[in-house]
Amino acid sequence: MKYKRILLKLSGEALMGERQYGIDPKILAEYANEIKQIHDKGVEIAIVIGGGNIFRGVAGASNGMDRVQGDYMGMLATVINGMALQGALEDKGMLTRLQTALKIEAIAEPYIKRRAVRHLEKGRIVIFGAGTGNPYFTTDTAAVLRGVEVHADVILKGTRVDGVYTADPEKDKSAVKFDYISFEDVLKKGLNVMDTTAFTLSQENKLPIVVFDMNKKGNLLKICEGENVGTVVNI
């Protein structure tokens, strides 16, 4: 396998499937199957999942809610998604641990870097919930931060599109996809890969990012086997 240890970033919105909000059990099961394929090959897997299918702090703030309060609500939404994904993975026979940046001892371990690394070494899938534990930071930033901390080889960002394009392919049919692009070129061209804080953290720590379509079956396994899927962002 090309990558020994990965940090998989999933969007909360993807869990909605065809629904307007919440979690679609069918999507959860599909994701669990995709993750099992690479887990069975010996890849060490850490996961960060967003909470946009339940609540977004930015959206709450735009409607007059206190931003800090809204962001903490968003962190709790990621914990709910983490628990749902944990259940789906365990249904497929995988061992998991949910660690959270906020202390919620009844349902999850507190995030401890050394403990997380030990779980990964033992073949357990570690799900990181509650973002960084701080308001004003996105789950993209949490994903890169945790990826750097646990020495992941790569950030795999699963999205609805199959890579990074010159423009939004859902709006501009003439948009061209990049197979490979440098961090520097992403910034020069003003492309949207991750939020600025997450992207800069990844660049400074030389941690590559692969943006790919998580909803296409087999993509996750192909990436881990070294096939050219999605867009690789690297130095």
Side-chain angles (χ1 to χ4, degrees), residues 95-117:
L95 296 175
T96 69
R97 291 293 186 273
L98 176 60
Q99 292 197 345
T100 57
L102 302 174
K103 287 187 179 180
I104 318 176
E105 287 94 338
I107 56 173
E109 297 178 358
Y111 170 68
I112 298 171
K113 182 245 182 185
R114 288 177 183 273
R115 185 180 287 178
V117 170

Side-chain angles (χ1 to χ4, degrees), residues 57-205:
V58 173
S62 68
N63 290 319
M65 179 182 286
D66 177 69
R67 172 66 190 271
V68 173
Q69 187 84 338
D71 279 357
Y72 278 116
M73 290 171 69
M75 289 178 218
L76 295 177
T78 71
V79 176
I80 292 171
N81 283 341
M83 291 174 70
L85 183 59
Q86 181 179 38
L89 293 171
E90 290 184 344
D91 280 346
K92 304 288 182 186
M94 290 168 273
L95 296 175
T96 69
R97 291 293 186 273
L98 176 60
Q99 292 197 345
T100 57
L102 302 174
K103 287 187 179 180
I104 318 176
E105 287 94 338
I107 56 173
E109 297 178 358
Y111 170 68
I112 298 171
K113 182 245 182 185
R114 288 177 183 273
R115 185 180 287 178
V117 170
R118 189 68 181 132
H119 288 322
L120 292 169
E121 289 171 347
K122 287 189 172 183
R124 297 167 186 149
I125 296 172
V126 183
I127 303 166
F128 298 119
T132 66
N134 301 289
Y136 295 97
F137 290 92
T138 66
T139 49
D140 275 355
T141 301
V144 176
L145 177 62
R146 297 291 181 248
V148 170
E149 287 178 318
V150 303
H151 310 296
D153 300 321
V154 66
I155 303 290
L156 301 184
K157 183 174 181 181
T159 66
R160 294 181 302 175
V161 293
D162 61 344
V164 179
Y165 284 76
T166 52
D168 186 343
E170 294 179 352
K171 296 175 182 174
D172 185 353
K173 298 301 179 187
S174 64
V176 179
K177 176 175 167 275
F178 296 99
D179 290 330
Y180 176 93
I181 189 169
S182 68
F183 284 103
E184 191 176 340
D185 282 345
V186 168
L187 293 172
K188 276 183 187 174
K189 297 175 189 295
L191 303 175
N192 185 23
V193 175
M194 284 183 164
D195 73 81
T196 310
T197 307
F199 192 77
T200 304
L201 186 61
S202 191
Q203 182 181 21
E204 287 177 349
N205 288 278

Side-chain angles (χ1 to χ4, degrees), residues 218-233:
N219 268 358
L220 189 57
L221 177 61
K222 287 176 182 175
I223 291 169
C224 291
E225 288 179 334
E227 287 191 38
N228 186 17
V229 173
T231 300
V232 178
V233 183

